[in-house]
């Protein structure tokens, strides 16, 4: 009979479930354990609220000069993105620390079950017999080494891989700076077509580079990013003509 620690599952099944839990904790995309649709909804609500707040303040003061409008909005939005990206990084680190604390507690209170998990995992890797027993004995002989092994083997975490939250915030701030600078440069050459061209270039390059780094199809990523942006811009333009 399996120990209650395994919640009715075999040791290997428990390891697979733990690996999925660790993978969700280490993913960069959302930085949260919430289901994707919940996180997308909450995050979109916050982003929309901040954008509406900034635009509301700018419209209240009625800045007729586009460059002043762009500068104030870009700087304010930069602060939001820096803070938001840093906060997501801290949340992710907090979740990882919680997983480490949980795994340390399991080692202290369910050591025999941790041994079973290691045996199941290394058997799946092809170890058997005396060699398997020797490997397990060595790993179980030191708590710190066992904790590292369980985090890496059971949860699939790569310790030391995670970036500092402030580094992520700086990355977001740099992205806003680049986009704003390019848009301002385009506006200098032509208020409409210059800005549109530079915005399209920004979206295309950022989408393409991200896809390349993730080893996805670059052309598809650029096409979809530009298409979605064009759809939003067209609807905005059409509604402005319709309602004014």
């Amino acid at each position: 009979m399996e120990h209650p620690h395994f919640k009715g599952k075999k040791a290997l099944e428990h390891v697979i479930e733990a690996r999925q839990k660790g993978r969700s904790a280490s993913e960069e995309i959302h930085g949260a354990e919430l289901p994707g649709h919940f996180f997308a909804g909450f995050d979109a609500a916050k982003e929309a609220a901040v954008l509406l707040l900034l635009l509301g303040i700018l419209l209240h003061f009625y800045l007729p000069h586009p460059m002043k409008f762009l500068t104030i909005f870009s700087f304010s939005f930069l602060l939001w993105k820096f803070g938001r990206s840093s906060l997501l990084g801290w949340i992710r680190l907090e979740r990882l620390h919680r997983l480490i604390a949980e795994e340390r507690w399991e080692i202290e209170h369910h050591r025999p079950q941790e041994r079973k998990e290691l045996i199941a995992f290394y058997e799946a890797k092809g170890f058997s017999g005396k060699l398997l027993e020797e490997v397990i004995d060595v790993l179980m002989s030191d708590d710190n080494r066992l904790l590292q092994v369980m985090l890496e083997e059971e949860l699939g975490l790569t310790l030391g891989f995670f970036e500092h939250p402030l580094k992520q915030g700086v990355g977001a701030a740099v992205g806003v700076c680049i986009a704003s600078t390019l848009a301002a440069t385009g506006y200098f050459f032509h208020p409409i077509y210059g800005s549109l061209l530079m915005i399209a270039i920004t979206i295309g390059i950022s989408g393409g580079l991200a896809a390349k780094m993730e080893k996805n199809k670059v052309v598809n990523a650029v096409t979809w990013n530009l298409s979605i942006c064009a759809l939003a811009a067209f609807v905005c333009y059409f509604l402005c003509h319709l309602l004014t």
Side-chain angles (χ1 to χ4, degrees):
M1 176 181 292
E2 295 294 345
H3 193 274
H5 170 65
F6 294 146
K7 299 179 181 179
K9 299 181 177 65
K10 295 182 179 179
L12 183 58
E13 293 175 340
H14 177 77
V15 170
I16 294 173
E17 184 181 67
R19 176 63 68 91
Q20 293 172 342
K21 180 181 179 182
R23 184 180 297 114
S24 69
S26 61
E27 286 176 347
E28 296 278 1
I29 299 174
H30 292 151
E33 286 181 315
L34 288 172
H37 60 287
F38 276 110
F39 181 85
F42 295 147
D43 194 56
K46 290 184 291 185
E47 193 94 337
V50 170
L51 289 174
L52 291 171
L53 173 63
L54 297 179
L55 290 173
I57 294 172
L58 289 167
L59 291 174
H60 173 75
F61 284 95
Y62 183 67
L63 298 175
H65 196 287
M67 285 305 299
K68 289 182 180 180
F69 188 99
L70 175 63
T71 301
I72 296 175
F73 176 80
S74 297
F75 182 72
S76 303
F77 189 64
L78 180 150
L79 294 177
W80 157 252
K81 295 300 290 185
F82 172 82
R84 173 186 175 276
S85 297
S86 299
L87 178 61
L88 287 178
W90 285 116
I91 291 173
R92 183 165 163 264
L93 283 180
E94 181 182 355
R95 188 170 65 254
L96 290 173
H97 289 159
R98 188 182 72 246
L99 290 177
I100 292 173
E102 290 174 356
E103 191 60 41
R104 188 185 298 277
W105 188 90
E106 289 184 5
I107 289 174
E108 294 173 353
H109 295 82
H110 298 292
R111 199 175 187 84
Q113 286 67 48
E114 297 295 285
R115 183 182 182 89
K116 287 184 179 181
E117 291 177 23
L118 279 177
I119 291 174
F121 189 84
Y122 279 93
E123 280 182 339
K125 282 189 170 185
F127 288 80
S128 61
K130 185 178 180 180
L131 177 60
L132 174 63
E133 290 296 326
E134 290 177 352
V135 169
I136 300 302
D137 289 339
V138 170
L139 295 177
M140 297 289 295
S141 63
D142 182 85
D143 283 355
N144 290 328
R145 178 168 50 196
L146 177 59
L147 175 61
Q148 180 178 349
V149 170
M150 294 306 293
L151 290 172
E152 294 179 348
E153 300 289 11
E154 180 184 6
L155 297 179
L157 303 177
T158 304
L159 301 182
F161 172 76
F162 307 104
E163 289 186 337
H164 194 281
L166 292 180
K167 186 176 181 180
Q168 299 177 42
V170 170
V174 169
V176 175
C177 283
I178 292 174
S180 301
T181 302
L182 291 177
T185 302
Y187 180 85
F188 176 77
F189 287 102
H190 193 281
I192 298 178
Y193 299 112
S195 298
L196 290 176
L197 176 61
M198 297 310 294
I199 289 172
I201 290 175
T202 301
I203 293 173
I205 291 178
S206 59
L209 288 176
K212 184 176 181 180
M213 294 176 69
E214 293 173 348
K215 299 184 182 197
N216 292 331
K217 295 180 179 179
V218 175
V219 175
N220 287 0
V222 173
T223 301
W224 276 108
N225 277 278
L226 289 175
S227 298
I228 294 171
C229 176
L231 174 63
F234 174 79
V235 171
C236 180
Y237 183 82
F238 175 77
L239 290 176
C240 286
H241 267 286
L242 182 66
L243 300 177
T244 56

